[in-house]
Amino acid sequence: AYVNDKYSVTGKIGGAFNDVLASQSSQGSRDFVDSVVTTVQKADKEISFLDTFGKLATSGADLASQAIDKAVEINDQYKLTDQLKEKIDEVTKNSTSSKA
């Protein structure tokens, strides 16, 4: 729920959804959507899938951050970007000198 609370995701989605519904003229459509929303809310109270999705998103962000940290560590250790730059410079130099 941290991600949901922090960014008010469900509130914004719900607000947009309600705006669309308000613009619709069919009461049957509104009743159907209201019943779907109520069903999802009841299911969420029992299953707590919104909280689970928030935790998954937070975990995914943590994993991405760890992966970036590891990539920086490996780059520092093996100087991969320096080696890549040297190869690019070498190819560029050879390409330029062969055209001249």
Side-chain angles (χ1 to χ4, degrees):
Y2 168 75
V3 173
N4 189 32
D5 290 341
K6 185 173 181 182
Y7 297 109
S8 305
V9 173
T10 27
K12 290 178 183 177
I13 291 172
F17 196 64
N18 286 336
D19 291 345
V20 170
L21 285 179
S23 69
Q24 296 296 318
S25 61
S26 169
Q27 185 62 38
S29 297
R30 290 184 194 151
D31 291 343
F32 172 75
V33 173
D34 285 344
S35 69
V36 170
V37 169
T38 302
T39 303
V40 170
Q41 288 173 339
K42 287 179 183 178
D44 181 49
K45 286 181 182 178
E46 293 179 26
I47 302 169
S48 187
F49 53 81
L50 292 177
D51 186 43
T52 302
F53 290 143
K55 288 178 183 175
L56 286 173
T58 302
S59 296
D62 289 343
L63 287 174
S65 176
Q66 290 173 12
I68 291 170
D69 290 344
K70 189 64 176 177
V72 169
E73 180 184 319
I74 289 171
N75 184 52
D76 289 344
Q77 183 177 356
Y78 295 104
K79 307 294 184 203
L80 296 176
T81 52
D82 294 341
Q83 292 178 33
L84 182 61
K85 181 186 179 307
E86 288 173 13
K87 291 296 180 186
I88 291 172
D89 290 344
E90 180 182 320
V91 168
T92 305
K93 182 180 176 184
N94 289 340
S95 174
T96 305
S97 65
S98 68
K99 289 181 180 179

